[in-house]
Amino acid sequence: MDDFSDDDFDDLNSNVLQELENNAIQSTQAQKQYQPSQTQQQQKSLFDDDFEDDDLDDAVVQDELGDKSVHPPSRVVPQQQATWGGPIPIPASRFRPQPVPSSSRSPITAPTSSRSLQHPLPRAQPPPYGQIRPPPTLPRPAPSIYQASQAPRQTGPPSHELASLQAQILDLRTRLNTKDGEIGIVRKRLEKARADHDRELQAIKKQAAEQVAKHERALEAAKAAQDAATTELQFTRRDLKDELERAKRKDGPSTPKKNAAAKSWGIADGFEDVEIAGSPSKGQRGKNTGAVASAVVEPSLRLTRTPTKGKRKRLAVDSPVTELETHSEDVVMLDTAGANDGNSTETSNLPQRSASADYMRAILNHSSAHGHPLAFEFLSGFRLSSRPTESLASILLQKLAVIGDPSDPMRLPIEFCEEVIQLWDSCLKFSCLAPIMELVSFVSLTVQLYTTAVAPYIAPSLLPVAMDSCYEVGIPRFYNEGPGDPTGEAWVNFSANISTTEILSLLYLTALGCAASPPLGRGVTDPAIDFWGQVHVEFVLMQLSQKQPVEDYLTVLRWLCTSVFPDSIGPISPNKTVEVIAATVIERVSLQLVEAPRPDVDQYKVRSVRNAVLRTLAAFARSSFGLAQLAINDWAIPRLVTLLSACIDELYDGDMRYEAAQDDGAQRELQALVTHAVLLLHTVITNPLTADLVNVSAKLARSLAGSQKYVLSLGRLNFSEDLVSEETAELAHELLELAVTPEEGEELGRFFGG
């Protein structure tokens, strides 16, 4: 302090004075226990002694707190310092001048200033204690007060940051409002859903209560009906027992009572014991005056029986007879009909009761196969998951107690079949497959007993269930790529418990019943048309596949014979025209005529199937619509010609005698194939309705050597001896005349004659 004078304080600017003031304030506070290193002391003494304020412009300041090197800015004029109003600037003591690294700048050399040698920098006196301000809070390493000379100090955050913050706040408020709205909507929907659920629950409870009450009433009615039936049965048994006892009493020997006519006239009539004739003095003219007392032979039991209903009684005549004359058939019956009205009513009801009783007896004693337990006994071991407390047998027996109509004996089998079909559908839905065929046997038995009376009524409910059951087995078999049947576990289960052959046979029998039945009620539609209107086209096409069993294929062919109508053949679909369906069915049916058989099918079955195909096509040709469709079809005639040519080749290879085929089944089928093919070709080609539609040459040109096979086959049949019947040879001759010209016919004659 002795080396400096106070005269130079007036020359210092405000920044230097402020720095000195800050140093003084820090000196009065708690000093940091920090001992500078020797290098720092040397640098400090170097800067304190050798540098002036102006030389700091080129120096680098080291921030010990932030470990950053900064270049101190130029001096700040007092006017700028006065206008800031910001926080207290950072003391200069925190910064230590450091030499600039050699990589960026050359080392700073201490300049020699005459001013620093002549006028050393005096030290400022510390301010009064009252003017000492507390040390400012050190913010983040930010620009010091020396930067104020380059840019003005901002009092707050930048405007773009403020705008960003305001935008974020607005976005958050918008999101908050949106979330509040969504929460409100969800809450309202939840409350509405809860209210709807409560309302539906109440409705379901009410409906369940009504159903329970309804079932209870039905159960009470069933019990009442059962009691009434039991009582009626007891009365009927009692009446029958009384009638039997009365008949037994009447059949026994008895003494005839005295006839009223004999009593009044005193003449023996042959029914009394020995009687004495009247005295001749009474003057009875024209009578036998001799004694008529004689031994009368006792009449037979038949003549002593009491006349019953339907028997004629003797008329009480005005004059007695002298001899036994008992010709009851010559006497007019004068009894009043009113006495027998009750008996007539009972007699008329006996056939109806007998029919219902016979059907009930047949159902209760029915078994699906020989050696198999009774159907009801077998069904008692199965229950549906929807009705676990009741067996299938108990369900059917309860239904039998309440169904039927005493005035209509057919109502009992119809309603019983409806109940059985419903159980069949339930078993299929709940995968209870074992009892299905027992239920099918019930329906088959009923349709066999009452075909025309039952089939039209049960067909609408039978068809969907039967087709669904066949779909479960037929579709996997249809799409199976490998040989044989599918091997999946599900398919094996269905195939083991569902017999498609029996179901198809039931459908065929039902179709026959519908075809032979008149319209139901006051309807005008044929039941057979209604039946085929419910058959799926896809179902028929699936069953007409070679992958299906031979028995199923034959049954479907017979079934299709019942689908021939004046305006359609096959199924009737609202989505397709009858022409499209007819063409599809004919194409699929006729394919079996030329398709290679399966390896596991023998020759006899192949010929049987092809004969069935020809019979089906012949059934189509019985209607004008089917005949026209066969004529315009592109595949029917070529396939018939191909089949005919192959069969004739087989006949030439084997025994060519026509009579020899009667003893051999396979040979007989081969002869039948030739006969049916020629007859069908003759019908389609020569019929006047199809003369303008059929174009044999054009259709045969589409197949390989079709025209040549056709002419050669007809020539063989025409010129052969004992190859086919005479009728078939004559039909072949007529077709041959239509197929060739006279010149070609002469050439064929010379060829076969030579």
Side-chain angles (χ1 to χ4, degrees):
M1 295 295 291
D2 297 336
D3 297 335
F4 297 93
S5 65
D6 297 333
D7 297 334
D8 293 333
F9 277 103
D10 296 333
D11 298 332
L12 296 176
N13 57 15
S14 60
N15 291 335
V16 177
L17 293 176
Q18 185 67 31
E19 180 180 358
L20 295 176
E21 181 181 359
N22 292 337
N23 291 335
I25 292 172
Q26 288 183 357
S27 64
T28 60
Q29 306 297 325
Q31 297 296 325
K32 179 179 179 182
Q33 300 297 327
Y34 174 74
Q35 298 295 333
S37 62
Q38 183 179 0
T39 305
Q40 292 177 352
Q41 291 178 358
Q42 294 176 358
Q43 291 178 354
K44 186 176 186 301
S45 62
L46 178 63
F47 278 91
D48 288 343
D49 298 336
D50 298 335
F51 287 92
E52 291 183 351
D53 225 9
D54 297 335
D55 297 328
L56 292 176
D57 295 336
D58 298 328
V60 177
V61 181
Q62 179 70 31
D63 187 0
E64 294 178 357
L65 297 178
D67 194 16
K68 296 180 180 180
S69 299
V70 296
H71 296 279
S74 61
R75 295 188 186 96
V76 180
V77 296
Q79 290 81 3
Q80 292 176 342
Q81 176 66 24
T83 58
W84 284 356
I88 300 173
I90 301 174
S93 61
R94 291 179 51 192
F95 300 96
R96 296 291 184 267
Q98 298 291 338
V100 179
S102 60
S103 61
S104 61
R105 296 179 59 178
S106 60
I108 300 175
T109 57
T112 59
S113 174
S114 59
R115 180 181 176 183
S116 61
L117 296 176
Q118 297 176 2
H119 304 283
L121 183 65
R123 297 182 181 273
Q125 294 181 359
Y129 183 78
Q131 296 180 1
I132 297 176
R133 288 179 293 181
T137 304
L138 298 178
R140 63 179 182 176
S144 65
I145 58 175
Y146 298 104
Q147 295 179 355
S149 62
Q150 298 179 359
R153 180 75 174 269
Q154 296 182 358
T155 59
S159 59
H160 64 87
E161 295 182 1
L162 182 60
S164 176
L165 292 175
Q166 291 178 353
Q168 292 180 4
I169 293 173
L170 182 60
D171 181 54
L172 292 176
R173 288 180 180 177
T174 305
R175 291 185 181 181
L176 180 61
N177 294 334
T178 304
K179 295 297 181 181
D180 291 341
E182 292 177 354
I183 292 172
I185 294 174
V186 172
R187 185 181 293 109
K188 290 181 180 179
R189 289 182 178 178
L190 180 61
E191 293 176 355
K192 183 179 178 181
R194 186 182 293 109
D196 294 341
H197 175 70
D198 295 340
R199 184 166 56 254
E200 291 178 359
L201 184 61
Q202 294 297 330
I204 292 174
K205 289 182 179 179
K206 182 179 179 181
Q207 185 178 4
E210 293 178 355
Q211 291 291 336
V212 170
K214 182 179 179 181
H215 289 310
E216 290 179 353
R217 290 193 299 269
L219 182 60
E220 293 177 358
K223 290 182 179 179
Q226 184 179 5
D227 295 340
T230 304
T231 305
E232 184 179 358
L233 181 61
Q234 292 177 356
F235 276 109
T236 304
R237 289 178 178 175
R238 182 65 181 177
D239 294 342
L240 181 60
K241 183 178 180 181
D242 294 343
E243 290 293 336
L244 292 176
E245 292 177 356
R246 189 180 299 109
K248 289 180 181 179
R249 289 196 302 268
K250 290 179 180 180
D251 290 339
S254 60
T255 303
K257 296 181 179 180
K258 183 180 287 293
N259 194 357
K263 288 181 180 180
S264 60
W265 291 97
I267 303 298
D269 58 0
F271 286 94
E272 304 293 339
D273 293 335
V274 178
E275 295 178 354
I276 304 298
S279 175
S281 61
K282 298 248 177 132
Q284 295 181 358
R285 299 170 58 184
K287 304 297 180 181
N288 188 5
T289 58
V292 295
S294 61
V296 181
V297 180
E298 184 178 0
S300 62
L301 293 176
R302 183 177 62 83
L303 298 178
T304 59
R305 291 177 182 174
T306 303
T308 58
K309 182 180 179 302
K311 301 281 185 165
R312 293 183 177 180
K313 297 182 180 180
R314 292 191 307 275
L315 179 64
V317 295
D318 295 335
S319 60
V321 294
T322 57
E323 295 180 359
L324 182 61
E325 297 177 358
T326 56
H327 302 285
S328 60
E329 61 272 15
D330 297 335
V331 182
V332 180
M333 183 175 177
L334 299 179
D335 293 344
T336 59
N340 296 327
D341 289 343
N343 294 333
S344 300
T345 304
E346 293 180 0
T347 305
S348 62
N349 291 333
L350 286 178
Q352 299 178 359
R353 294 180 180 178
S354 177
S356 300
D358 292 342
Y359 177 73
M360 188 77 71
R361 189 181 302 108
I363 289 298
L364 294 177
N365 296 326
H366 172 65
S367 177
S368 60
H370 179 70
H372 199 270
L374 296 179
F376 277 97
E377 181 180 351
F378 181 77
L379 293 176
S380 62
F382 297 94
R383 289 174 172 81
L384 296 175
S385 58
S386 59
R387 305 170 70 174
T389 59
E390 297 176 315
S391 65
L392 298 181
S394 63
I395 294 174
L396 291 178
L397 290 175
Q398 292 177 6
K399 192 67 176 179
L400 279 174
V402 296
I403 61 176
D405 186 1
S407 61
D408 186 4
M410 289 296 102
R411 292 307 307 169
L412 177 61
I414 292 173
E415 294 181 3
F416 179 73
C417 285
E418 293 287 349
E419 181 66 21
V420 171
I421 292 171
Q422 291 181 5
L423 284 181
W424 179 1
D425 189 19
S426 300
C427 290
L428 190 63
K429 290 180 179 178
F430 293 103
S431 299
C432 184
L433 305 179
I436 285 181
M437 296 315 300
E438 292 291 336
L439 299 175
V440 173
S441 65
F442 274 136
V443 183
S444 299
L445 174 65
T446 305
V447 176
Q448 290 174 7
L449 293 176
Y450 313 103
T451 305
T452 58
V454 174
Y457 293 94
I458 67 173
S461 57
L462 172 64
L463 271 171
V465 182
M467 288 191 295
D468 290 342
S469 301
C470 293
Y471 276 139
E472 297 292 342
V473 181
I475 291 179
R477 183 181 282 159
F478 181 80
Y479 288 105
N480 185 35
E481 297 180 357
D485 293 332
T487 57
E489 182 179 356
W491 185 88
V492 171
N493 186 23
F494 276 105
S495 179
N497 293 285
I498 296 178
S499 175
T500 56
T501 305
E502 295 185 18
I503 296 175
L504 291 174
S505 300
L506 175 60
L507 292 179
Y508 171 59
L509 187 60
T510 306
L512 290 177
C514 293
S517 300
L520 301 180
R522 298 180 180 180
V524 295
T525 307
D526 190 355
I529 297 179
D530 294 338
F531 177 89
W532 283 101
Q534 293 182 337
V535 178
H536 300 165
V537 181
E538 296 79 7
F539 179 76
V540 175
L541 298 180
M542 178 192 71
Q543 294 297 331
L544 289 175
S545 173
Q546 196 182 41
K547 296 182 179 180
Q548 306 298 337
V550 176
E551 293 77 10
D552 293 6
Y553 195 92
L554 294 174
T555 304
V556 172
L557 290 177
R558 292 193 296 268
W559 186 34
L560 281 174
C561 293
T562 64
S563 66
V564 181
F565 303 106
D567 299 329
S568 66
I569 57 174
I572 302 173
S573 175
N575 301 325
K576 299 180 180 179
T577 62
V578 292
E579 291 80 6
V580 173
I581 295 176
T584 305
V585 172
I586 291 174
E587 190 276 331
R588 185 60 62 87
V589 170
S590 62
L591 178 62
Q592 192 62 33
L593 297 176
V594 295
E595 189 176 15
R598 294 187 307 180
D600 58 339
V601 180
D602 57 9
Q603 189 179 30
Y604 177 76
K605 287 185 178 181
V606 171
R607 293 175 179 176
S608 300
V609 169
R610 290 177 176 175
N611 266 317
V613 170
L614 292 177
R615 286 192 294 268
T616 304
L617 295 177
F620 292 165
R622 285 199 297 267
S623 69
S624 58
F625 177 82
L627 185 62
Q629 292 299 317
L630 284 173
I632 65 177
N633 192 272
D634 295 334
W635 301 102
I637 292 178
R639 288 171 178 174
L640 285 173
V641 171
T642 303
L643 174 67
L644 180 62
S645 177
C647 292
I648 293 176
D649 291 341
E650 293 182 10
L651 285 177
Y652 270 84
D653 294 338
D655 191 351
M656 296 177 57
R657 292 179 302 171
Y658 176 70
E659 292 80 2
Q662 305 301 324
D663 299 332
D664 188 0
Q667 191 73 8
R668 186 170 57 252
E669 291 291 336
L670 183 59
Q671 294 279 1
L673 280 175
V674 175
T675 302
H676 293 159
V678 173
L679 179 60
L680 185 57
L681 282 172
H682 186 274
T683 303
V684 174
I685 295 174
T686 62
N687 194 288
L689 298 176
T690 59
D692 299 334
L693 299 176
V694 64
N695 190 353
V696 180
S697 59
K699 290 181 172 60
L700 293 178
R702 299 176 183 177
S703 61
L704 181 62
S707 301
Q708 291 78 7
K709 290 180 180 179
Y710 180 60
V711 175
L712 181 60
S713 300
L714 294 179
R716 285 181 171 182
L717 294 177
N718 182 41
F719 294 101
S720 64
E721 295 180 359
D722 298 335
L723 184 63
V724 291
S725 63
E726 294 181 0
E727 294 81 3
T728 304
E730 184 64 27
L731 295 177
H733 177 71
E734 295 179 5
L735 291 175
L736 186 60
E737 289 181 347
L738 296 175
V740 298
T741 62
E743 294 78 8
E744 294 174 347
E746 293 178 359
E747 292 181 0
L748 286 174
R750 288 194 298 269
F751 174 76
F752 285 103

